[in-house]
Amino acid sequence: MTGRDLLGIEGLDRTDLERILETAERMQEVGRRDVKKVPTLRGRTLINLFFEASTRTRTSFEIAGKRLSADVVNFTPSSSSLTKAESILDTAMTLDAMDPDAVIVRHKVAGVPKRIADALAAPVINAGDGAHEHPTQALLDCFTVKQEKGRFDGLTVTIIGDITHSRVARSNLYAFTKLGAEVRLAAPPTMLPTGIESLGAKAYTSLREALEGADVVMVLRIQQERLDGQPRRRDRARSRRPPPERDPRPGAQRRRGADGRPVSVRGALGEARGMRASGARSARQASEGDRARVGVVEEVRGEERDG
Amino acid sequence: MVLDDVAIRRALVRIAHEVVERTETLPELYLVAIPNGGVPLARIIAAQVRAISGLEVPVGILDTTLYRDDLTARGVRPPLRRTEMPSAVDDRAVVLVDDVVSTGRTIRAAMDALMDFGRPRSVQVIGLVDRGHRELPIKIDFVGKNVPTQREERVVLRGLSGDLEGPLEVVILESDGGAA
């Protein structure tokens, strides 16, 4: 890992990712004990600095810190302090004066964790910034896939949804690609950023093709909160969706949805959700999130030590 | 070379006899290995105890990494290792098994970790090699061999076939990693 901050998956290499995932795996055992706590970060302070609302991620970081015996402080600035870049830095500087050992930052604007990291003495962990990156969510998704499949090499991971506005899609693209999987991104053209294939993914506007032979399917919701002043999601999805057509090639029947109808956006999403639900992944992911984030928090400890 | 495979196995047979002799209630015995080196040693001792007494002794694995107090000083990031505790430690006569004991900090960390799993009746320590340089008031109850060393030397248990499953040896390495 270059530097002690975790701002995105982009700056990590495969070894970093594998080490964090391995730490997360080991931490699973701690979570099964009666005393779910180890003294590793005793006397250290973590600050959760969430400018954007989040319950799962913040709680997950809080639990991760507490599992490692750190003191965790939650700081949720009022919306009035969100408006100016200076006030964000002011807030961060004030917290830095309290001498934390790591600051976990979420902000709706891409790049804010980086600016805060540049200004602070403490290491910064990005907990999601705008449509840029959400590295710990990607680590969690990788962890889930590893638990389920045991490997990454040769896997095909299909990510469906609003790719353009999704930091999760971006971080997952980096993470799964670095770990040796093939990543497919599927969305209507307006939700697929141009040039995304230069990052190593294959872009699809046909769900049917994107789902063909996929080992893992991730479905992202529409990022309504990042569609300011843009067409409403229904319009966008309807107008840009390619018209459904029968596949004339032999074997087309096999590409129909579970309900026998040709795969549509809705059908595919339903099917994909079903795949997730059948493995009960969403619920279990919540507890895996703590492990993955323990891995990350533990990592910061290591980086801090090297510095 | 400090100990070759024959010497290691002979020491472990002797230690197994001593453990059986000195454990009041043998069914309470619980061997807890400190990875990586302690794991094959604990398995060999458990097999010996079974041969001597007919008792199946549980073997646990307890990683101490998250409990260490000297990570900062070491400057390297040791990977976390497996922890597997098949039995509860409450009221058990726990015997920690380590390959090389020196400062005593690993044993201290292992005791802390152990207490998070419950309240053992007693805790004792097996060390295949005691190389001295103790920094904490920790005593080894069953020693394979005392080996006087320089502080900067490293004493390691290693497998001749690359892993710890096959023949073992204990060697002294210079701090740069080459054999002394």
Side-chain angles (χ1 to χ4, degrees):
Chain A
M1 202 184 282
T2 57
R4 66 230 159 95
D5 305 305
L6 176 63
L7 298 174
I9 301 290
E10 194 180 1
L12 306 185
D13 58 31
R14 183 175 183 149
T15 324
D16 296 324
L17 295 171
E18 283 171 346
R19 189 181 55 240
I20 294 170
L21 291 177
E22 188 163 328
T23 302
E25 230 161 289
R26 299 285 183 248
M27 288 306 295
Q28 271 195 306
E29 179 270 323
V30 174
R32 285 195 291 264
R33 296 182 191 174
D34 284 346
V35 179
K36 298 174 179 50
K37 210 175 179 58
V38 288
T40 317
L41 294 183
R42 206 158 53 94
R44 307 297 181 92
T45 305
L46 302 182
I47 295 182
N48 265 330
L49 179 57
F50 276 57
F51 293 97
E52 192 183 57
S54 153
T55 310
R56 266 173 308 166
T57 306
R58 184 179 54 73
T59 309
S60 179
F61 269 112
E62 192 170 344
I63 291 175
K66 287 179 174 174
R67 289 269 157 89
L68 291 167
S69 299
D71 294 313
V72 183
V73 180
N74 290 313
F75 191 86
T76 312
S78 67
S79 52
S80 65
S81 66
L82 296 182
T83 44
K84 296 175 201 152
E86 295 102 75
S87 64
I88 291 167
L89 281 182
D90 283 346
T91 305
M93 298 295 267
T94 309
L95 293 176
D96 201 38
M98 298 170 192
D99 202 18
D101 295 282
V103 180
I104 296 140
V105 178
R106 166 171 288 195
H107 198 282
K108 66 175 178 184
V109 178
V112 168
K114 169 85 171 88
R115 289 203 56 190
I116 291 179
D118 290 342
L120 298 199
V124 169
I125 298 171
N126 179 4
D129 60 333
H132 174 228
E133 278 225 43
H134 191 351
T136 60
Q137 180 61 47
L139 286 164
L140 165 54
D141 290 333
C142 291
F143 185 65
T144 303
V145 168
K146 193 172 179 206
Q147 296 282 301
E148 208 63 30
K149 301 282 184 186
R151 68 193 164 95
F152 295 101
D153 281 313
L155 283 188
T156 299
V157 179
T158 298
I159 306 176
I160 304 168
D162 183 359
I163 308 297
T164 306
H165 296 96
S166 172
R167 55 196 178 204
V168 174
R170 200 169 310 267
S171 289
N172 268 309
L173 166 57
Y174 290 130
F176 280 109
T177 309
K178 282 171 199 270
L179 286 166
E182 177 196 310
V183 177
R184 297 177 183 171
L185 304 171
T190 49
M191 295 181 183
L192 266 178
T194 49
I196 191 84
E197 291 192 303
S198 68
L199 297 179
K202 289 187 184 163
Y204 291 81
T205 50
S206 157
L207 267 175
R208 204 179 299 176
E209 287 167 21
L211 289 174
E212 176 99 41
D215 301 287
V216 177
V217 180
M218 293 176 51
V219 184
L220 306 170
R221 69 183 173 88
I222 305 283
Q223 300 287 329
Q224 194 69 49
E225 67 274 28
R226 291 190 205 114
L227 293 181
D228 244 12
Q230 297 185 37
R232 290 183 43 219
R233 63 195 235 195
R234 191 166 285 274
D235 306 335
R236 289 159 56 88
R238 278 232 179 97
S239 61
R240 305 295 178 164
R241 191 197 310 161
E245 51 187 40
R246 281 188 67 102
D247 191 335
R249 287 169 297 167
Q253 288 297 320
R254 284 201 303 275
R255 280 191 290 275
R256 284 168 182 262
D259 56 1
R261 288 179 308 172
V263 174
S264 64
V265 172
R266 184 178 237 163
L269 290 181
E271 202 175 291
R273 281 207 193 94
M275 288 165 71
R276 249 184 115 172
S278 70
R281 303 313 289 144
S282 349
R284 247 174 66 194
Q285 234 207 357
S287 71
E288 286 166 356
D290 311 334
R291 320 284 187 275
R293 294 195 170 94
V294 166
V296 170
V297 171
E298 229 270 320
E299 188 73 17
V300 168
R301 172 186 66 90
E303 296 309 317
E304 174 192 323
R305 192 167 59 237
D306 296 343
Chain B
M1 173 82 69
V2 176
L3 290 167
D4 62 13
D5 193 59
V6 173
I8 290 172
R9 280 166 211 275
R10 198 181 295 136
L12 295 178
V13 170
R14 173 178 50 82
I15 287 172
H17 275 99
E18 288 175 3
V19 169
V20 171
E21 185 187 338
R22 287 200 244 155
T23 307
E24 261 177 52
T25 322
L26 208 51
E28 289 176 359
L29 183 62
Y30 187 178
L31 295 173
V32 174
I34 299 172
N36 296 316
V39 179
L41 304 181
R43 293 215 177 100
I44 294 169
I45 294 167
Q48 281 302 321
V49 171
R50 186 171 55 231
I52 297 163
S53 68
L55 267 176
E56 197 71 47
V57 182
V59 176
I61 301 172
L62 187 59
D63 180 31
T64 60
T65 310
L66 294 167
Y67 291 81
R68 295 196 70 93
D69 61 1
D70 56 353
L71 287 174
T72 318
R74 299 211 299 181
V76 288
R77 145 178 287 285
L80 298 190
R81 287 161 305 188
R82 211 152 38 109
T83 289
E84 279 170 23
M85 297 290 281
S87 308
V89 304
D90 289 317
D91 296 321
R92 301 302 290 257
V94 171
V95 181
L96 296 169
V97 183
D98 201 0
D99 50 2
V100 180
V101 180
S102 179
T103 60
R105 288 182 192 272
T106 303
I107 301 299
R108 199 276 314 159
M111 284 196 285
D112 278 359
L114 200 57
M115 301 307 163
D116 279 354
F117 283 88
R119 186 182 183 278
R121 176 180 304 280
S122 62
V123 181
Q124 290 180 295
V125 181
I126 293 171
L128 178 61
V129 170
D130 184 352
R131 57 166 294 199
H133 306 289
R134 204 78 83 240
E135 293 167 5
L136 295 171
I138 300 243
K139 145 190 111 142
I140 310 185
D141 303 274
F142 308 95
V143 186
K145 188 179 183 182
N146 286 296
V147 179
T149 56
Q150 301 292 317
R151 189 173 277 274
E152 57 281 357
E153 286 171 330
R154 288 173 55 225
V155 181
V156 296
L157 172 73
R158 63 186 187 188
L160 294 177
S161 48
D163 57 32
L164 293 171
E165 300 298 320
L168 304 168
E169 65 174 0
V170 175
V171 291
I172 297 184
L173 305 176
E174 308 263 13
S175 49
D176 64 7

